Amino acid sequence: MDMTTSIVDNNFRKDVRRCFEQQAYAIPARWLYDRRGSELFEDITELPEYYPTRTETKLLEDHGSDFAKAIGTGRAVIEFGSGSSVKTPHLLHAVKPAAYVPIDISGEFLEHSAAMLQDDFPDLPVYPVEADFMKRVELPDAVADLSKLGFFPGSTIGNMIARSSVDLLRSMRETLGIGSQLLIGMDRIKDPAILVDAYDDSAGVTAQFSLNLLDRINRELNGDIPVEKFRHVAVWNDHYARVEIYLEAQDDVTFTVDGTTHSLTGGKRIHIENSHKFGLRDARLMLRAGGWTPLCEWSDEQDYFTLILAEAHPYKHAP
C-alpha cells in the first residue's frame, strides 16, 4: 500500500491541530506508530540500552510452566497493541490457546505480523483486528464463547497518565469480560541514568522514532515542518516517576500544517510521550482501580521488570 495515499485518521488531524492551534504543544504517543514508526520501534527493542524487551522476553521464556499452571490452556489470547508479536510465541507455546486475536492501530503492520505468526502456528486460528484498543473492542464472533486471556506486554500501560491507564484497564475488562485474565508487563522504577539511556540511545534510533512523527505530519497533513531543526529530548521526571520525551525546536521555526501557519521559538518543546515506571504497590493499586484483581507476578533478578497476572472479578460493593 502506498502510505502517501492512505486515508488520514481524523483523530490524528484533530490531535495535531490541537497541539499547534491551541498551543497545547503535546501530541498523544499513539500517533508515533505508523508503519515506519512501528518498524523503528522494533529496531529500538534490539538496542543494548533498551532493557525492557529482552528482560520481559526472558521472563516469558523462563516461566512458561508457571503460566500454564496459573492460566490453563484453551483460552483465546487477545493481545492489545500487538506490534510485531515477537514475544507472543513464548506465551502461546506455554498456554496452548484455542485462538489468537492481535489488536493494533497500525493495520498494515498488523496484517504482516499476524501472517508471520500464523506461519509459526499453522493450526492456530488467528483473527487480527485493526482497532484503537483504548476503548472497548468488538472481538470476532469466533472467540465469543471462549475463556479469554488479555496480553499487554512492553509496559505500554506506562505511556499513559494514571487516569487514562485506569480507563484503559476498564475498557480491557469490558472487551474481555468477567472471569477473563490479563497478563500485563510493567517496567519498574530504577536508576534514572539507566532509564534515560533506554530512551535516548547512543545510535540515535529513538531520536529517529520521535522525529518520524514530524515526517508523518508532513506526509499526511500536507505539512512543511523542517524536521532537521528539531531534536529528540528524553528526561526523567522524578515527581511523576516517568521518562518524558519531547521534540525540541533548535531554532525559531515557521511552518504550515493542514493549511494553517504556525511558529515556534527556539527551545520550545512538543511533548510526545511519557513512560511511567511503577513500584510494586503502584502496579497493584492501578490494576485494582481498573477492575482487575492481581493473582501472581514474576520479576527478573534485578527487579527491572514485572509480569503480573490479574483476573476480572465481579465488582463488590462496600464494605
Side-chain angles (χ1 to χ4, degrees):
M1 182 175 67
D2 182 356
M3 296 302 290
T4 63
T5 60
S6 61
I7 298 173
V8 177
D9 190 312
N10 196 46
N11 289 320
F12 176 54
R13 173 177 280 110
K14 288 179 180 178
D15 284 339
V16 172
R17 290 180 67 107
R18 183 183 301 114
C19 170
F20 296 119
E21 294 178 9
Q22 298 182 17
Q23 298 183 345
Y25 301 122
I27 299 174
R30 61 178 176 160
W31 301 120
L32 291 162
Y33 295 90
D34 63 350
R35 175 61 186 266
R36 178 58 178 155
S38 296
E39 291 172 344
L40 284 167
F41 181 73
E42 294 308 316
D43 292 340
I44 289 170
T45 64
E46 298 179 4
L47 295 169
E49 297 97 332
Y50 195 79
Y51 63 86
T53 298
R54 64 175 176 270
T55 305
E56 185 177 35
T57 300
K58 192 169 191 311
L59 288 173
L60 289 165
E61 291 174 341
D62 291 349
H63 293 283
S65 60
D66 296 329
F67 301 145
K69 182 178 179 180
I71 295 167
T73 60
R75 291 179 180 261
V77 173
I78 318 297
E79 184 170 2
F80 298 92
S82 55
S84 67
S85 301
V86 68
K87 303 169 192 171
T88 313
H90 302 296
L91 179 63
L92 300 184
H93 282 301
V95 302
K96 298 179 174 55
Y100 171 59
V101 182
I103 303 172
D104 204 277
I105 197 172
S106 179
E108 185 184 10
F109 196 67
L110 170 69
E111 293 292 338
H112 175 71
S113 58
M116 291 186 65
L117 188 137
Q118 184 72 86
D119 288 341
D120 293 335
F121 295 84
D123 298 326
L124 177 66
V126 177
Y127 306 101
V129 175
E130 182 181 356
D132 178 3
F133 61 82
M134 292 298 297
K135 52 192 175 184
R136 185 179 183 275
V137 177
E138 290 294 334
L139 298 177
D141 291 340
V143 303
D145 295 329
L146 295 173
S147 298
K148 298 172 182 66
L149 169 68
F151 184 40
F152 196 40
S155 199
T156 307
I157 194 79
N159 293 143
M160 303 152 214
I161 61 174
R163 181 183 67 251
S164 298
S165 297
V166 172
D167 287 346
L168 172 60
L169 290 168
R170 289 173 177 169
S171 294
M172 288 176 170
R173 178 188 169 97
E174 291 180 11
T175 296
L176 299 174
I178 301 299
S180 61
Q181 294 182 337
L182 176 67
L183 184 64
I184 184 170
M186 292 190 181
D187 199 5
R188 302 289 294 275
I189 296 171
K190 58 185 69 67
D191 183 345
I194 295 173
L195 291 168
V196 171
D197 284 349
Y199 295 87
D200 193 14
D201 62 280
S202 58
V205 181
T206 314
Q208 293 179 52
F209 174 66
S210 296
L211 291 165
N212 179 67
L213 177 59
L214 301 182
D215 286 327
R216 180 179 184 180
I217 292 170
N218 285 344
R219 182 177 64 250
E220 297 187 21
L221 300 178
N222 195 30
D224 59 5
I225 300 173
V227 179
E228 72 281 358
K229 292 191 175 181
F230 285 81
R231 72 183 186 101
H232 162 86
V233 176
V235 297
W236 171 250
N237 185 327
D238 194 62
H239 183 72
Y240 289 106
R242 69 190 186 193
V243 178
E244 297 175 348
I245 308 297
Y246 298 90
L247 290 171
E248 181 181 278
Q250 300 182 77
D251 299 297
D252 294 351
V253 291
T254 299
F255 52 87
T256 300
V257 173
D258 212 24
T260 303
T261 300
H262 309 282
S263 295
L264 294 180
T265 57
K268 189 65 181 180
R269 292 178 174 180
I270 303 169
H271 195 169
I272 61 169
E273 188 175 14
N274 294 313
S275 187
H276 291 83
K277 309 305 173 184
F278 302 96
L280 194 53
R281 290 185 179 181
D282 303 332
R284 292 173 180 169
L285 180 60
M286 186 171 65
L287 283 165
R288 290 186 182 279
W292 295 92
T293 300
L295 300 177
C296 46
E297 59 206 49
W298 301 270
S299 297
D300 61 288
E301 292 181 358
Q302 295 175 294
D303 276 337
Y304 274 17
F305 202 94
T306 299
L307 280 167
I308 301 178
L309 180 67
E311 190 164 273
H313 294 166
Y315 287 120
K316 293 182 179 180
H317 300 289

